[in-house]
Amino acid sequence: MKRHRLAVIVAAALLALLPTTASATAAYPDPQPVTGQQIIHDPTVIRLKSGGYVAYSTGGVIGARTSKDRVRWDDAGNAFAEPPSWWYEYNDTGDPWAPDISYRAGRYWLYYAVSSWGTNHSAIGAATSPTGLPGTWTDHGKVFTSETTDTWNAIDPALIRADGRLWMTFGSYWTGIRMVELDPRTGKAVEGTTVHHLATRPDAPYAVEGPYVVKHGRHYYLFASYDACCAGVNSTYKIRVARSTSVTGPYVDSKGTPMLAGGGDLLLAGHGRYIGTGGQSVFQDRGRDWLAYHYYDAEDNGTPKLGLNRLRWKANGWPVVL
């Protein structure tokens, strides 16, 4: 998510962005109060089978936070002690971006991207762990890659299981959001898989990234971050959503505009001190859906911090943020 990363935190005044779509409410709710280590970027969160929560993020060697109650978060180091050697094929510092954590087949799976700002010479990798905790991950190398000759960018991975098959959304700029099928045994892209196109913008540079798909009722919902991140209080990130009855699309908003034509209902945008809301993911906790994202704190020099909000599903199936 993120073309990137944790860069350019600029102190400046910014007016709150107002919602402009029919699906938006008159005002956005603030994130749930959290304490402890709040600094984070591109968070992915899961409730562990052992109890408590872990969040992974861009920064460090996939930065880790843990919590017992989803309110107080503690710094837990990094997923890896040091970068796997192959990461250096994609940047000089072995810097990973935008992880995604999930659980299946008795193991936790962590997907992540390695790339450099402004290029689509990128790769998505995967690791597994028996506990989901930092320091327990075994890396399994590349899952899917992109090169400068491709019209997509292999970063910002997120997994979804649908109809007994495993899928991965990804994408940032370079004509937007894509999806490929994964082999559930290896966790890697199926050989010769079709690269499905899910969302784009009608104008270059096609500023949509950070996809995340969830199933609710008979629909799949595609959440994505639009516009610019990573500029502190000058960030214009916002979260939009559309839905489809098929995991591979087409995804359309509540007005019927396809995401491939620039559609998407505005779910959450900057307001008050909470600037540039995006880099989102969705997780379940005791049967309820939660939206995790970062925002830039206008009252703390644009520092990126953790945002958590409940998701409620309206009678017509569309999500709203609580």
Side-chain angles (χ1 to χ4, degrees):
M1 317 192 165
K2 317 12 150 125
R3 290 199 322 159
H4 285 91
R5 260 344 184 201
L6 294 188
V8 202
I9 304 243
V10 181
L14 187 73
L15 293 175
L17 301 175
L18 297 177
T20 58
T21 71
S23 63
T25 54
Y28 296 106
D30 294 344
Q32 166 190 294
V34 296
T35 62
Q37 178 53 276
Q38 302 176 43
I39 299 173
I40 206 165
H41 210 272
D42 308 328
T44 179
V45 180
I46 197 169
R47 180 174 173 83
L48 297 168
K49 299 291 184 182
S50 59
Y53 307 81
V54 64
Y56 289 100
S57 64
T58 296
V61 195
I62 308 181
R65 312 280 184 268
T66 55
S67 176
K68 295 180 180 179
D69 57 9
R70 210 185 54 238
V71 175
R72 177 178 174 82
W73 292 87
D74 297 312
D75 191 336
N78 298 283
F80 298 96
E82 59 184 32
S85 59
W86 70 266
W87 291 7
Y88 292 99
E89 297 174 35
Y90 295 91
N91 60 58
D92 292 337
T93 57
D95 178 27
W97 298 344
D100 173 69
I101 190 170
S102 58
Y103 181 86
R104 63 180 176 83
R107 291 187 291 177
Y108 292 89
W109 294 74
L110 189 67
Y111 284 71
Y112 57 84
V114 282
S115 186
S116 297
W117 185 283
T119 177
N120 65 333
H121 172 60
S122 309
I124 293 168
T128 56
S129 163
T131 66
L133 292 171
T136 67
W137 293 96
T138 299
D139 190 62
H140 299 293
K142 302 174 189 178
V143 168
F144 189 76
T145 64
S146 60
E147 298 300 337
T148 56
T149 52
D150 292 319
T151 56
W152 57 80
N153 190 12
I155 70 169
D156 297 357
L159 269 62
I160 174 74
R161 285 177 285 185
D163 301 322
R165 298 163 73 180
L166 186 64
W167 302 87
M168 181 179 71
T169 51
F170 65 93
S172 171
Y173 292 67
W174 276 274
T175 72
I177 305 306
R178 307 282 178 155
M179 173 177 275
V180 293
E181 186 176 2
L182 302 182
D183 181 330
R185 182 182 60 84
T186 65
K188 299 185 178 185
V190 170
E191 186 175 356
T193 183
T194 298
V195 181
H196 300 275
H197 201 184
L198 305 188
T200 191
R201 302 285 290 274
D203 54 329
Y206 315 108
V208 53
E209 57 188 3
Y212 200 93
V213 175
V214 298
K215 178 79 178 293
H216 180 77
R218 67 187 188 92
H219 286 98
Y220 296 92
Y221 292 79
L222 172 57
F223 299 80
S225 297
Y226 282 60
D227 299 326
C229 84
C230 312
V233 295
N234 292 325
S235 302
T236 57
Y237 241 14
K238 56 184 67 70
I239 302 170
R240 292 186 179 272
V241 63
R243 72 185 185 185
S244 173
T245 55
S246 168
V247 72
T248 56
Y251 287 86
V252 299
D253 64 23
S254 62
K255 295 181 179 179
T257 305
M259 261 193 165
L260 283 171
D265 289 346
L266 188 56
L267 181 73
L268 184 64
H271 58 285
R273 69 187 291 180
Y274 309 103
I275 304 304
T277 53
Q280 76 291 324
S281 59
V282 178
F283 68 99
Q284 274 209 333
D285 186 9
R286 299 180 178 91
R288 293 180 172 180
D289 290 317
W290 286 81
L291 182 72
Y293 58 93
H294 68 252
Y295 65 88
Y296 301 93
D297 191 345
E299 296 182 8
D300 189 15
N301 296 322
T303 300
K305 294 184 179 179
L306 176 63
L308 295 173
N309 286 83
R310 274 270 319 279
L311 279 181
R312 180 175 69 83
W313 302 90
K314 297 190 293 184
N316 62 8
W318 289 98
V320 291
V321 177
L322 301 181

